[in-house]
Amino acid sequence: MTAPGRFITLEGGEGAGKSTQARLLAEALRDAGHSVTETREPGGAPGAEALRTLLLHGPTTFTPEAETLLHVAARAEHLARTIRPALAGGQWVVCDRFADSTMAYQGYGLGVDRTMIATLAALLEPKPDLTLMLDVSAATAAARLASRGRAADRYETLDPTFHERVRRGFRTIAATAPERCITIDGNNPPAAVHTAILAAVQARFGGAAK
Ligand code: Z5A
């Protein structure tokens, strides 16, 4: 019988270093002999990537409620076509953003009803086995985004108070789900953050992570 895969998500505000750390974690897990699917949200499946383009760069803006439902629709596609099949095949899934981003951005950031978001999230399976919450200061995030040299997406153009609400949202989520979430200080250099992440994965999965 195939050993079950593990589902790890990375969450945090813009510039927290999620994409960098998702890559490093996936490499480390592969080096340890695991098959790994590295994926992201919104996106990770053809229909979900189409919704990503619409949400981040499309010509239309949506009401906050409609935007929430589009993120959840993208997630349903992603789960059905990429995440569930990978886990069923024994792969470890490393996912850059997932359902906590909907709660943080649309719930805490845009003020969409958080009970509705939680109800929608509860409908979708599976839940992550571990969520790594990368926490950085507003100053760190701003410096990284300024040095990145790519065009801003729709969310990155929203004002600093929006991003502060999002950051607080992630902290609240981490505090209320300690059995799933481990907060990592993302202000440190990439190698130090990676070491902290490996320690967290090891602590959560023990020998299975080796
Ligand atoms: N969104 C939503 O609203 N609702 C949802 O349900 C979901 C998403 C799922 C996705 O955009 C947007 O969708 C997101 C929320 C919204 N928008 N925002 N803001 P994305 O995935 O393309 O954008 P992002 O997640 O914010 O990516 P990012 O800004 O690139 O951040 P990151 O992935 O956390 O960081 P990074 O790409 O790894 O690093 C950014 C830069 O910093 C880069 O130049 C790195 O080389 C550098 N970096 C990274 N780590 C370090 C350290 N440790 N030290 C120094 N420099 C570093």
Side-chain angles (χ1 to χ4, degrees):
M1 200 174 99
T2 312
R6 307 295 172 128
F7 181 21
I8 302 174
T9 57
L10 289 94
E11 296 275 12
E14 51 171 10
K18 298 172 302 298
S19 313
T20 303
Q21 294 301 327
R23 258 195 315 277
L24 293 173
L25 175 59
E27 271 171 32
L29 290 170
R30 285 188 190 109
D31 287 348
H34 297 289
S35 295
V36 180
T37 290
E38 207 180 323
T39 187
R40 67 167 181 188
E41 289 208 348
E49 288 290 335
L51 288 172
R52 176 188 178 93
T53 303
L54 195 63
L55 282 159
L56 301 191
H57 308 291
T60 328
T61 55
F62 300 95
T63 64
E65 285 73 19
E67 183 179 309
T68 301
L69 293 169
L70 288 170
H71 277 291
V72 174
R75 185 160 305 126
E77 275 295 295
H78 187 203
L79 280 162
R81 298 188 191 277
T82 303
I83 295 176
R84 281 199 290 268
L87 291 171
Q91 303 222 355
W92 287 51
V93 174
V94 175
C95 186
D96 183 351
R97 295 196 181 281
F98 193 65
D100 295 327
S101 283
T102 310
M103 184 59 89
Y105 280 81
Q106 282 65 50
Y108 288 90
L110 295 180
V112 175
D113 181 65
R114 297 204 285 269
T115 305
M116 179 191 100
I117 294 175
T119 302
L120 289 166
L123 295 173
L124 296 179
E125 292 291 343
K127 312 288 184 272
D129 297 303
L130 170 64
T131 296
L132 300 158
M133 284 282 184
L134 290 187
D135 191 48
V136 295
S137 68
T140 298
R144 287 184 190 167
L145 295 183
S147 68
R148 199 172 43 179
R150 72 155 161 81
D153 66 40
R154 179 170 297 141
Y155 295 98
E156 288 163 357
T157 60
L158 295 175
D159 68 275
T161 57
F162 169 81
H163 289 287
E164 193 43 47
R165 287 196 299 278
V166 169
R167 246 189 303 279
R168 272 193 275 116
F170 279 123
R171 286 182 189 146
T172 305
I173 293 165
T176 50
E179 70 295 343
R180 173 174 65 82
C181 300
I182 297 181
T183 299
I184 305 284
D185 184 352
N187 294 291
N188 294 318
V193 179
H194 179 55
T195 300
I197 284 178
L198 288 186
V201 170
Q202 187 67 36
R204 190 53 56 101
F205 300 120
K210 286 191 188 139

